Amino acid sequence: MSQREPLTRERIIETALHLIDGQGLGRLTMRRLGDSLQVEAMAIYHHLPHGKEQLLEQLIAHVAALPVPPGDGEPRDRLRSWAHAYRGRLLEHVGVMPLIVTRRNPGALMATTLSIRELLREAGLREAEAFVGAHVLLGYLLGTVALEAREQASGTTSDEVDSDERFTAGLDRVLAGLVRPTAP
Amino acid sequence: MSQREPLTRERIIETALHLIDGQGLGRLTMRRLGDSLQVEAMAIYHHLPHGKEQLLEQLIAHVAALPVPPGDGEPRDRLRSWAHAYRGRLLEHVGVMPLIVTRRNPGALMATTLSIRELLREAGLREAEAFVGAHVLLGYLLGTVALEAREQASGTTSDEVDSDERFTAGLDRVLAGLVRPTAP
DNA sequence: CAGCCGCCTTTACGCAGTAAGGTGCGATCA
DNA sequence: TGATCGCACCTTACTGCGTAAAGGCGGCTG
């Protein structure tokens, strides 16, 4: 009766993410993760041989990798809506932000960076400009979400400022600095 | 002979910072910090009663609090040179970036944020614009330094890209989006 | 001299990550 | 059929962490 489904790397990662979202990164431990999976902690090592380090890497990849989806609208509009989606993803899993900032998993942001760069080229920027632009955009996103995260953790009851509005306005300023207005 | 000077909060924090810079945040432990100070770990608790939590808060305050200095040049130029100084400070102590991003020590960035806001107002922005602008600028700074930190930890030998140049160019784009060109 | 207080050490507890080895069970093959 | 094997998971045990609690110890004050 009720024999649990077998452990998989995916299930482990999803459960870990769920645990972080609910309890915070600090409460993610191998033993607790094992409990959530109804398994002894050491069982996890069979699927992630490099232990917690590897688990955290996978978590970053799962959250931070979100390239601009293909499409054919105005580059500027596509960037804008991607930025909103990306921020949404990051805020959904604020708990992993410290991991993303830490040295772990280089290359997790590679695909994302490249896709932005490409889109900026489509928008008419030269190679060097697109290179800088992608860095600016990704930097603004990570930094701004980090700031939001610390605010929302400081217990300000959100009536103080409208973060969404601020983000949208800020994104507008950033894009204004990056992409020259398209001639009609 | 050679009786050590007494422990102080300042000395503890400086030593901790030194330890992080040299060995990384992960190797900062109370026991190791005690060793560096030639003291038993528990001695630290006499000066920081709330233990490691309090230590980390102090580290953040020490690194992240750097308001725009008073002066009387062009607001835009003052912002630019402050941004360079701030980035320099953050890169000097990359190890604490994860702490700054984490929820700890709300208000460590308060003074800094306010000083930027004020300067943007001097530059002619309206209250709401200055509010957004300060968020954009601080966000860009934190995010961009975080990105640089992960790059430099990934072992890219810096001949790949010139981070300084990229930062300067990016800062230019951001400022261009925020402050309208001053009429001569 | 007695008492106190500020600074540091000692001891000990619970929890963390994980190395090493063991167990049980289904598939494979003689 | 029964022996063998290997995968998936468990058990045990070790080291190192943060820190509560209590103990010493030297210098000051009364």
Side-chain angles (χ1 to χ4, degrees):
Chain A
M1 44 158 75
S2 158
Q3 72 180 18
R4 75 200 170 206
E5 61 211 293
L7 228 46
T8 63
R9 207 188 279 211
E10 285 71 36
R11 221 157 67 75
I12 293 172
I13 291 164
E14 272 160 33
T15 307
L17 210 48
H18 193 258
L19 229 159
I20 292 177
D21 292 344
Q23 317 233 50
L25 183 59
R27 295 189 66 84
L28 172 66
T29 70
M30 298 304 269
R31 290 177 225 259
R32 259 196 280 262
L33 181 54
D35 286 352
S36 286
L37 291 160
Q38 307 200 58
V39 135
E40 290 304 311
M42 289 310 290
I44 299 169
Y45 286 78
H46 195 262
H47 302 268
L48 293 133
H50 298 309
K52 198 168 188 184
E53 190 75 8
Q54 191 178 2
L55 173 63
L56 299 182
E57 276 180 24
Q58 301 282 322
L59 287 173
I60 293 175
H62 196 274
V63 170
L66 182 67
V68 184
D72 59 349
E74 265 283 1
R76 189 148 161 176
D77 293 339
R78 289 174 60 201
L79 275 179
R80 213 193 309 271
S81 73
W82 165 82
H84 275 98
Y86 199 71
R87 168 172 175 262
R89 168 86 74 82
L90 291 179
L91 284 179
E92 247 181 293
H93 308 292
V94 173
V96 304
M97 281 295 295
L99 298 181
I100 297 178
V101 169
T102 314
R103 80 215 157 333
R104 280 176 242 269
N105 201 353
L109 298 172
M110 247 327 181
T112 309
T113 308
L114 289 179
S115 73
I116 301 175
R117 211 129 84 195
E118 195 182 314
L119 202 53
L120 285 175
R121 294 232 53 190
E122 280 182 42
L125 272 65
R126 271 179 277 112
E127 186 63 35
E129 295 171 330
F131 176 78
V132 168
H135 200 252
V136 168
L137 212 49
L138 206 53
Y140 171 65
L141 264 163
L142 291 180
T144 236
V145 170
L147 287 175
E148 282 187 52
R150 30 171 40 246
E151 277 169 15
Q152 96 182 34
S154 312
T156 57
T157 37
S158 88
D159 50 66
E160 179 96 33
V161 297
D162 185 335
S163 315
D164 291 2
E165 209 171 290
R166 183 180 53 185
F167 172 74
T168 306
L171 180 60
D172 250 34
R173 299 336 301 141
V174 171
L175 287 175
L178 287 180
V179 188
R180 33 181 169 282
T182 36
Chain B
M1 43 161 67
S2 156
Q3 71 180 21
R4 71 199 175 212
E5 61 211 291
L7 227 47
T8 63
R9 207 189 281 211
E10 285 70 35
R11 220 155 69 77
I12 293 172
I13 291 164
E14 273 160 33
T15 306
L17 210 49
H18 193 259
L19 229 160
I20 292 176
D21 292 343
Q23 317 232 48
L25 183 59
R27 296 189 65 86
L28 172 67
T29 70
M30 298 305 269
R31 291 178 226 258
R32 260 196 278 262
L33 182 53
D35 286 354
S36 285
L37 292 160
Q38 307 200 61
V39 136
E40 289 305 311
M42 289 310 291
I44 299 169
Y45 287 78
H46 196 263
H47 302 269
L48 294 136
H50 298 309
K52 196 168 188 182
E53 190 74 10
Q54 191 178 1
L55 173 63
L56 299 182
E57 277 181 25
Q58 301 281 322
L59 286 174
I60 293 174
H62 196 273
V63 171
L66 181 67
V68 184
D72 59 350
E74 264 282 1
R76 191 148 159 173
D77 294 339
R78 288 174 61 201
L79 275 180
R80 212 193 309 271
S81 72
W82 165 82
H84 275 98
Y86 199 71
R87 169 173 175 261
R89 168 86 73 85
L90 291 179
L91 285 179
E92 246 181 295
H93 307 290
V94 172
V96 304
M97 281 295 295
L99 299 180
I100 297 178
V101 169
T102 315
R103 85 224 152 327
R104 279 175 242 268
N105 201 353
L109 297 173
M110 247 326 181
T112 308
T113 307
L114 290 179
S115 73
I116 301 175
R117 210 129 84 197
E118 195 182 312
L119 201 52
L120 286 174
R121 294 233 53 191
E122 279 182 43
L125 272 64
R126 271 179 277 111
E127 185 63 35
E129 296 172 327
F131 177 77
V132 168
H135 201 252
V136 168
L137 212 50
L138 205 53
Y140 171 65
L141 264 163
L142 290 181
T144 235
V145 170
L147 288 175
E148 283 187 50
R150 26 169 48 242
E151 277 170 14
Q152 97 180 33
S154 312
T156 57
T157 36
S158 88
D159 51 65
E160 178 95 33
V161 298
D162 185 335
S163 317
D164 292 1
E165 209 171 290
R166 183 179 54 186
F167 172 74
T168 305
L171 180 61
D172 249 34
R173 299 337 299 143
V174 171
L175 288 176
L178 287 181
V179 188
R180 34 183 167 280
T182 36

